[in-house]
Amino acid sequence: MPAMLNHIPLLVGLRYLRARRRNHFISFISGVSMIGLTLGVMVLIIVLSVMNGFDRELRNRILGMVPHATLSQPGEMTDWQSVVNTVTEHPQVLGASPYTESQGMLVGRSQTKGALINGVDPSTLADVSILPNHMVSGSLDPLVEGGFGIVLGDIMARTLGVGVGDRVTMMVPEVTVNLAGVTPRFKRFEVVGTFSVGAELDANLAVVHMTDLGRILRYGDAVDGVHLKVDDLFDARRIGVEAGRELAGRYLVSDWSRTQGNLFQAIQMEKRMVGLLLFMIVAVAVFNIVSSLVMMVTDKQGEIAILRTLGARTGQIMGIFIVQGTAIGLIGISLGVILGVVGAWSVADIIAWFEQVLNIQFLNAEVYFISYIPSELKWSDVRLIAGATFVISVLATLYPAWRASRISPAEALRYES
């Protein structure tokens, strides 16, 4: 008998979990609490995976196209060759490439569109940008000095109604004064390629050879600055400053956080806030566990009294309901983790299927910085969600278990028929 009493919490707790209740409402509440835990854990894993995916895409795609850091001067930079040679000696600078930049208008077959025009050095562009790896048609090879070739984002190319081999007219805000009056500067360019990085840059970026753009802007051999790629995104400004200190003269340093920092911080804040709000689903499910166990204690008062008269201790009575509540929590968490992991791995395909069937687009690249739903499952998030849910599930069993341990056998058996 003593050995049997030692196993009372586990044996009776699991039996209560499997047994059919006289009060079916208790079974309903227990089932709802288990389903609530499953849904809460599943949704948390999927949503946090999507937020991780946005964070990853920001780093890999947006920050793959946007320079990590930039060195420039108040005017045009004429000694950019020596700048590139000097900064690349810094151990944390992975690449450097000169650039010229301007706003302009592109006139195609069907429409006129504003664009950010980047003049680049094709030979060093791959050192600081992922653009060469995301060409859809054509290539960067025809971007040669004096060739006046242009590479467009695929969305911009479709908007302008042009493709490889077609011509577009570029107009820049610089003006020319002649006998005819004041006219904007413009030049015909041949489309030599299109790219797609799945971001808003596909709709507003055009790339040309820096010398060709420099001729239109009357820069001569000068450029606007030098783009840097560093080994630590979050330390880009410090690395840029250190690299700039090795240069003679005054240089201005900026980094990606000036243009994309707010977006990155917004994603981090949204991840925390969405995670906190969705955790309320788990809290509701845990509250249901408390409710179902309290009703279970009331329903089993007579059996608890009999166990007490047979010698069961207070701690063993508490253990019965802790085991039952913990088992409900474990089942709900396990199902939630399985469904959440599967959902996180397949959410992109599911959304793409819905877009195809319903003929809609959830994310427009012209509005959002990417055009699809990304997802990245992190097992650290899964462990955190499962662990935190398990802890609060166990804590939720303490009050009902304490209520059960306080039942007086004499009072409970008095009203048993």
Side-chain angles (χ1 to χ4, degrees), residues 283-348:
V284 171
V286 170
F287 181 78
N288 287 334
I289 292 179
V290 176
S291 303
S292 64
L293 289 180
V294 168
M295 289 188 289
M296 174 67 72
V297 170
T298 303
D299 188 57
K300 299 294 185 181
Q301 286 190 44
E303 297 177 19
I304 294 171
I306 293 173
L307 289 173
R308 291 296 302 274
T309 57
L310 290 175
R313 298 186 300 274
T314 298
Q316 291 172 323
I317 299 299
M318 289 186 65
I320 291 172
F321 294 94
I322 291 176
V323 167
Q324 185 179 357
T326 302
I328 293 174
L330 282 175
I331 295 173
I333 292 169
S334 299
L335 291 175
V337 167
I338 293 172
L339 294 176
V341 169
V342 172
W345 283 338
S346 57
V347 64

Side-chain angles (χ1 to χ4, degrees), residues 73 148 150 157 169 192 209 225 236 289 323 332 370 417:
Q73 290 181 311
F148 291 98
I150 187 170
T169 300
V192 297
H209 196 284
I289 292 179
V323 167
I370 59 175
S417 56

Side-chain angles (χ1 to χ4, degrees), residues 17 21 23-39 284-285 288-289 291-293 295-296 324 328-329 331-332 335:
L17 183 67
R21 304 335 189 238
N23 188 340
H24 294 289
F25 186 67
I26 300 176
S27 299
F28 174 76
I29 295 298
S30 298
V32 168
S33 61
M34 188 181 299
I35 294 173
L37 279 176
T38 299
L39 291 177
V284 171
N288 287 334
I289 292 179
S291 303
S292 64
L293 289 180
M295 289 188 289
M296 174 67 72
Q324 185 179 357
I328 293 174
I331 295 173
L335 291 175

Side-chain angles (χ1 to χ4, degrees), residues 8 23 30 45 47 49 51 88 94 99 143 171 173 187 193 249 264 277 335 358 378-379 410 417:
I8 279 179
N23 188 340
S30 298
I45 291 175
V47 171
S49 296
M51 300 303 291
T88 50
L94 303 180
Y99 75 94
L143 283 186
M171 293 186 294
K187 179 67 179 178
F264 181 81
L277 292 174
L335 291 175
L358 301 178
K378 290 186 177 180
W379 290 107
S417 56

